[in-house]
Amino acid sequence: MNNFTFHNPVKVHFGKGKVEKISKEVKDYKKILLVYGTSSIKDFGIYNQVIELLEGKEVYELSGIRPNAKVDKVYEGIELCKENDIDFVLAVGGGSVIDSAKAIALAAKTNHDFWDYFFLKGNKPSELIDLGTVLTVSCNGSELDATCVITNPKTKQKRYYNDPTLFPKFSVIDPTYSFTVPKTQIISQSIDVISHILEEYFSKPTYTTTTDYLSEALLKSVIKNVEISLADSKNYQARANLSWAGSLAVSGLISLGKEGDWTSHKIEDALSAHFDIPHGLGLSAIHPNYLKYIYKDHIEKFKHFALEVFQVNPVAKSDEEIALEGIERLQDFFEELGAPIRLRDLKVDEESLEKISKDIELNQASYSKLESYDIFQILKSSY
């Protein structure tokens, strides 16, 4: 394993009714910006619960956050913070809501343009607004990491920003809040979690580490519990396990001693920046085909994955056949869930694939050495 330092300071309140912890967590703050998405948190009573727990505070609201969090709402939130001297940002929602709240908290204390100063130039913050989250949608993981992802539709860019100061002060994870989430969203987000895990699992060092064994356990948990959740939307144990697996997948735990790959995410981010497709569904089409493109460089690791995660029967099969069958089982699983496994099913324009492949900045730590030509081939095979 590579050397590492592990630090995750987020206080997690996990379980049914844990939202009540908000009152204590925000007791020292006066002006709160409440960030959320659509009216669904009002329809299902979550909004009223949160508002009651914020009694005595000045609460300002930013609603309408959309999937693939966009720059326009971040700018709007920054202005609200500046105009009203906000001292705490509370995100109630899924990944895009939390990412938007993080970007707002990051930039509200500066006069620089947030997109240019932080997301394009990578400057470090000198002062931030404190942040907390209430997760209503399982599986994104932003509630437990120090990263946010924002899309600029005008420039067709989707960029990450990471800084240790972006860890939330606390996160509430109540699995019952995800009971009303549509099945398509559960499918998309569960695939995103699986992809998060695979980005670390299939990365250097290639030999299997303790961290990889943890990843295998999380993969098995997601595969089992997403199926139960889709069959029974109110199965608390399945949703609880799915929620916690999603959080752990990006907590830093399964990246310890690993370099990380993230090529599939880079490819999908470019696609969703151009076509605004659901992130997890884009990964469903991309990630298995990416793995098929590189697996011959790492036969032993892919064989191990096939045997341990999908229990592929090795009898009368070569190591290469076992390795490939593991990837095919992954792709079949995505299809069985009801996810698209071809970009054409997501209305992606085939003519744009070559241009998109040239726009992707490849990670130097990629599991296999790739060029723009390789990315184009992966996109074509995914179409």
Side-chain angles (χ1 to χ4, degrees):
M1 292 178 69
N2 297 336
N3 294 351
F4 61 82
T5 299
F6 181 57
H7 174 70
N8 191 311
V10 183
K11 183 191 294 185
V12 176
H13 299 292
F14 187 96
K16 185 175 181 179
K18 282 291 191 175
V19 71
E20 67 184 16
K21 296 294 184 180
I22 288 178
S23 296
K24 183 178 180 181
E25 294 290 353
V26 301
K27 65 182 177 61
D28 295 328
Y29 302 97
K30 296 178 180 179
K31 296 185 176 184
I32 295 176
L33 178 65
L34 181 63
V35 181
Y36 57 98
T38 64
S39 61
S40 60
I41 69 164
K42 294 183 177 180
D43 297 339
F44 302 119
I46 302 169
Y47 173 87
N48 286 340
Q49 282 184 304
V50 172
I51 289 296
E52 287 176 11
L53 292 164
L54 297 178
E55 185 178 0
K57 310 293 182 183
E58 289 185 44
V59 179
Y60 301 83
E61 298 185 21
L62 176 67
S63 62
I65 305 298
R66 305 181 299 282
N68 291 317
K70 313 293 194 300
V71 294
D72 59 338
K73 283 295 180 179
V74 176
Y75 283 119
E76 188 177 336
I78 290 169
E79 287 307 307
L80 280 170
C81 288
K82 290 181 175 180
E83 291 171 1
N84 300 288
D85 197 24
I86 299 294
D87 59 356
F88 194 84
V89 179
L90 180 63
V92 182
S96 292
V97 171
I98 298 173
D99 283 356
S100 297
K102 284 181 177 179
I104 292 165
L106 168 71
K109 293 287 188 179
T110 179
N111 291 321
H112 297 286
D113 177 81
F114 97 89
W115 179 254
D116 178 69
Y117 189 74
F118 293 111
F119 283 78
L120 297 185
K121 295 180 179 175
N123 287 299
K124 296 294 183 181
S126 56
E127 186 180 6
L128 290 83
I129 297 176
D130 288 342
L131 168 81
T133 83
V134 177
L135 189 66
T136 62
V137 178
S138 305
C139 305
N140 175 269
S142 193
E143 70 281 0
L144 215 61
D145 71 12
T147 301
C148 58
V149 188
I150 303 295
T151 299
N152 188 328
K154 289 184 179 179
T155 62
K156 304 295 185 185
Q157 292 172 298
K158 188 173 185 178
R159 291 294 181 94
Y160 288 68
Y161 185 87
N162 179 277
D163 191 85
T165 56
L166 282 180
F167 280 113
K169 297 297 180 184
F170 68 87
S171 287
V172 174
I173 306 174
D174 183 339
T176 65
Y177 285 173
S178 68
F179 282 176
T180 56
V181 172
K183 284 188 176 182
T184 53
Q185 206 168 347
I186 293 295
I187 293 167
S188 177
Q189 287 154 356
S190 297
I191 291 171
D192 190 16
V193 176
I194 290 172
S195 184
H196 288 160
I197 300 167
L198 294 177
E199 297 281 24
E200 299 291 355
Y201 184 82
F202 289 118
S203 75
K204 301 170 187 175
T206 194
Y207 54 82
T208 303
T209 68
T210 297
T211 298
D212 291 325
Y213 290 123
L214 293 173
S215 291
E216 289 167 7
L218 288 175
L219 286 168
K220 292 175 184 178
S221 177
V222 175
I223 290 167
K224 175 182 178 180
N225 287 292
V226 67
E227 290 182 318
I228 297 172
S229 294
L230 291 173
D232 179 2
S233 64
K234 289 185 168 55
N235 187 309
Y236 180 83
Q237 292 302 328
R239 288 299 173 95
N241 281 293
L242 199 55
S243 296
W244 191 228
S247 296
L248 289 178
V250 294
S251 66
L253 186 66
I254 64 167
S255 64
L256 299 178
K258 303 285 291 183
E259 291 187 19
D261 183 281
W262 298 97
T263 302
S264 290
H265 268 69
K266 284 181 174 290
I267 297 172
E268 199 293 317
D269 286 342
L271 286 168
S272 57
H274 279 77
F275 298 104
D276 202 24
I277 59 181
H279 181 54
L281 301 187
L283 288 167
S284 175
I286 291 293
H287 210 142
N289 289 302
Y290 166 64
L291 298 180
K292 286 180 182 180
Y293 194 83
I294 69 165
Y295 83 99
K296 290 183 181 180
D297 296 337
H298 317 279
I299 291 292
E300 191 59 35
K301 186 58 173 285
F302 277 91
K303 174 188 173 184
H304 184 86
F305 166 78
L307 295 174
E308 293 299 320
V309 177
F310 284 105
Q311 290 79 52
V312 169
N313 184 351
V315 175
K317 296 172 186 173
S318 68
D319 287 355
E320 184 175 328
E321 288 172 331
I322 296 168
L324 180 58
E325 185 173 339
I327 303 169
E328 290 174 339
R329 293 277 291 274
L330 174 71
Q331 191 168 48
D332 290 345
F333 176 70
F334 289 168
E335 189 170 26
E336 288 164 10
L337 290 179
I341 58 170
R342 293 290 168 193
L343 291 175
R344 66 172 68 94
D345 298 325
L346 291 165
K347 310 279 191 250
V348 171
D349 175 20
E350 187 176 11
E351 299 299 318
S352 66
L353 297 182
E354 186 171 8
K355 179 183 182 302
I356 289 173
S357 69
K358 294 176 181 177
D359 291 341
I360 295 169
E361 297 179 10
L362 294 171
N363 183 0
Q364 295 303 308
S366 294
Y367 205 28
S368 292
K369 183 174 174 56
L370 303 176
E371 305 292 343
S372 294
Y373 169 81
D374 301 295
I375 300 301
F376 181 46
Q377 297 307 310
I378 293 164
L379 284 166
K380 284 203 304 181
S381 69
S382 302
Y383 195 81

